[in-house]
Amino acid sequence: MTLDQIEAQMKSRAINFTGLGALVKFDFGGGEALFIDGHSMPPAISRTGGTPDTTLTISAENLVKLAEGKLAPTLAFMTGKLKVSGNMGIALKLANMLED
């Protein structure tokens, strides 16, 4: 799945991130990233953003698996497929939103 497709899919599900209350960066490496701005209503999905509260480093492939429920966020973190920097509480909140 391309970054454009991932972005479109996240935008179609943006309402799921209501209540996040933070700026989260998904870092795919190679300068590619997506941001969820949970401060706005509905949450905004974009490729640019300010300083994130939490950065999640993950491959695009594994993010798709997370979104499809084929990879549990906790398992991804424990196996090193997902790395978190910044506020861990926000990452846990986001994980719960992805699992719903």
Side-chain angles (χ1 to χ4, degrees):
M1 185 175 278
T2 68
L3 187 58
D4 289 334
Q5 291 169 320
I6 292 170
E7 182 178 14
Q9 189 175 55
M10 288 180 78
K11 283 182 178 182
S12 72
R13 297 178 181 178
I15 199 73
N16 294 347
F17 303 114
T18 300
L20 184 60
L23 180 63
V24 177
K25 176 182 179 182
F26 287 90
D27 184 350
F28 302 111
E32 293 187 326
L34 286 176
F35 291 82
I36 299 175
D37 185 353
H39 296 292
S40 62
M41 184 56 192
I45 312 297
S46 68
R47 293 191 189 196
T48 60
T51 303
D53 299 294
T54 300
T55 299
L56 305 174
T57 304
I58 188 169
S59 70
E61 176 185 340
N62 284 327
L63 180 61
V64 170
K65 288 179 184 177
L66 280 174
E68 292 175 346
K70 295 179 181 175
L71 177 63
T74 305
L75 179 62
F77 180 76
M78 298 298 282
T79 59
K81 293 178 181 178
L82 169 66
K83 295 181 177 132
V84 179
S85 60
N87 188 321
M88 183 62 83
I90 294 169
L92 292 172
K93 192 174 186 180
L94 183 61
N96 288 333
M97 291 174 167
L98 287 171
E99 288 179 332
D100 290 343

